[in-house]
Amino acid sequence: MKSPLLSLPGAVPAEGVDEGVAAHYGDLFREQRALAAGTGFVDLSHRGVVTVTGEDRLSWLHLLLTQHVSELPAGEATEALILSAHGHIEHALYLVDDGETVWAHIEPGTQDALVQYLESMKFFYRVEVADRTADFAVVHLPAGSIAEAPDGVVVRQTAYGRDLFLPRERLEEYAARTGPAAGLLAYEALRVEHHRPRLGFETDHRTIPHELGWIGSAVHLQKGCYRGQETVARVQNLGKPPRRLVFLHLDGSEVHLPPAGTGIRLADEGPDGRKIGFVTTSVRHHELGPVALALVKRNVPVDARLVAGDTAAAQEVVVEP
């Protein structure tokens, strides 16, 4: 869906999976500084919105998700994953229950597959699953924002800010009252700063939760069975994940950022060295300069000097080896 906020002055459309909202509104660093200061908002109206209603909604989702949600208090935000039978990440859900309905926002374009899976697992449970993407737009208010949420709007509050499930017809009106708008690039820069993984960016077809630090925040280790739990328990109790997420400080003298997928090697092995990882997301941060998230092999020394493509990089540990 194309956001009406792309008509705001200076709006430059995002590309790829984030197509439909603004990448920025003409001043990337100003927009980052505004979000960091707790002002403005981010249009995330391209994200999917799925709801689950019915008296069995929490106990039913508890059987399917990696998170403990059977007793989730109304208004308390959480996040959860859906795994394959082999423990690989298939969906990431950002959840809140309003006392009658579980609301989740998810990656753009993944709502059809998620709804199809949930529908296939209903059996005799008293639940109704709905794709509400056409009706509701996600709007993000940064941490520290004093902007008010409209009456009746479901709010998901976390340490990083508030996500509003706003009726789409109210998006332009709310934006006019809550500005200035910040683009997705500013939002992504702060996400990278906080080492927060994103499905489809930090994940591939074989990613398991341990590699990204999702144990705890999205995976509860003391809950009952769910698809993929055996892999989670085995890696947690008996081994280590094959890869780990790192935060990279990139050489600021380079003009271009290494794009996602850029190979990482050990600087000491020279230009022909073996590939030991790859960049997942790279951004320009208003204070930190060029930084990135990346996946590297677990046994890469934490003090090793790295090179991302042709760009020197120093790693900061996110997931312990």
Side-chain angles (χ1 to χ4, degrees):
M1 292 186 180
K2 184 177 180 180
S3 172
L5 302 190
L6 284 172
S7 63
L8 291 178
V12 174
E15 298 177 347
V17 69
D18 290 320
E19 183 180 3
V21 296
H24 61 84
Y25 295 90
D27 192 337
L28 173 62
F29 290 154
R30 177 190 61 78
E31 294 164 31
Q32 283 187 40
R33 288 191 290 268
L35 291 182
T39 61
F41 71 95
V42 183
D43 176 14
L44 299 179
S45 62
H46 64 315
R47 290 185 65 81
V49 176
V50 172
T51 61
V52 181
T53 56
E55 57 187 290
D56 293 338
R57 65 190 184 280
L58 292 176
S59 59
W60 176 68
L61 284 170
H62 186 78
L63 299 173
L64 305 177
L65 305 180
T66 56
Q67 189 57 274
H68 196 299
V69 298
S70 61
E71 300 169 2
L72 183 67
E76 182 175 308
T78 192
E79 55 189 75
L81 309 175
I82 290 177
L83 307 180
S84 73
H86 298 291
H88 301 136
I89 301 169
E90 292 188 346
H91 293 281
L93 295 80
Y94 299 85
L95 305 162
V96 67
D97 183 81
D98 67 3
E100 297 181 351
T101 301
V102 173
W103 295 75
H105 67 78
I106 57 178
E107 285 299 321
T110 64
Q111 56 266 29
D112 288 348
L114 176 60
V115 168
Q116 183 178 1
Y117 171 70
L118 294 177
E119 287 284 353
S120 73
M121 301 300 292
K122 285 171 64 172
F123 302 115
F124 55 84
Y125 289 93
R126 293 163 293 183
V127 294
E128 293 296 331
V129 179
D131 178 1
R132 304 302 304 277
T133 308
D135 304 315
F136 289 89
V138 179
V139 173
H140 176 76
L141 300 175
S145 171
I146 60 172
E148 295 184 359
D151 291 342
V153 168
V154 175
V155 178
R156 180 181 178 274
Q157 184 162 352
T158 73
Y160 305 104
R162 288 174 288 160
D163 299 330
L164 278 55
F165 293 88
L166 190 72
R168 281 193 180 272
E169 66 269 16
R170 302 174 67 178
L171 180 56
E172 288 183 275
E173 170 208 351
Y174 187 73
R177 292 192 287 109
T178 313
L184 199 67
L185 290 180
Y187 179 84
E188 285 287 281
L190 299 188
R191 177 181 73 81
V192 170
E193 176 193 6
H194 294 135
H195 309 163
R196 297 172 61 204
R198 182 178 173 188
L199 182 76
F201 286 63
E202 280 61 58
T203 68
D204 57 22
H205 67 283
R206 59 192 180 99
T207 305
I208 60 175
H210 310 71
E211 296 177 319
L212 303 183
W214 254 327
I215 301 298
S217 63
V219 179
H220 194 286
L221 294 175
Q222 279 76 49
K223 62 160 290 188
C225 286
Y226 55 87
R227 191 174 70 176
Q229 185 194 25
E230 289 186 3
T231 298
V232 170
R234 183 170 62 251
V235 174
Q236 185 69 22
N237 297 322
L238 301 177
K240 294 284 188 177
R243 304 176 296 183
R244 59 184 178 88
L245 186 69
V246 296
F247 179 74
L248 298 180
H249 294 270
L250 302 170
D251 181 0
S253 66
E254 296 289 341
V255 175
H256 300 290
L257 289 171
T262 298
I264 296 174
R265 55 184 171 78
L266 296 171
D268 293 343
E269 293 188 357
D272 298 322
R274 58 195 169 88
K275 180 179 175 181
I276 50 89
F278 59 93
V279 173
T280 59
T281 305
S282 59
V283 297
R284 295 193 184 277
H285 191 276
H286 71 286
E287 288 184 339
L288 302 175
V291 292
L293 292 175
L295 276 176
V296 299
K297 292 182 177 180
R298 177 179 57 83
N299 58 2
V300 172
V302 297
D303 58 351
R305 296 184 304 117
L306 306 178
V307 177
D310 297 324
T311 303
Q315 64 170 308
E316 187 175 309
V317 174
V318 177
V319 174
E320 293 290 337

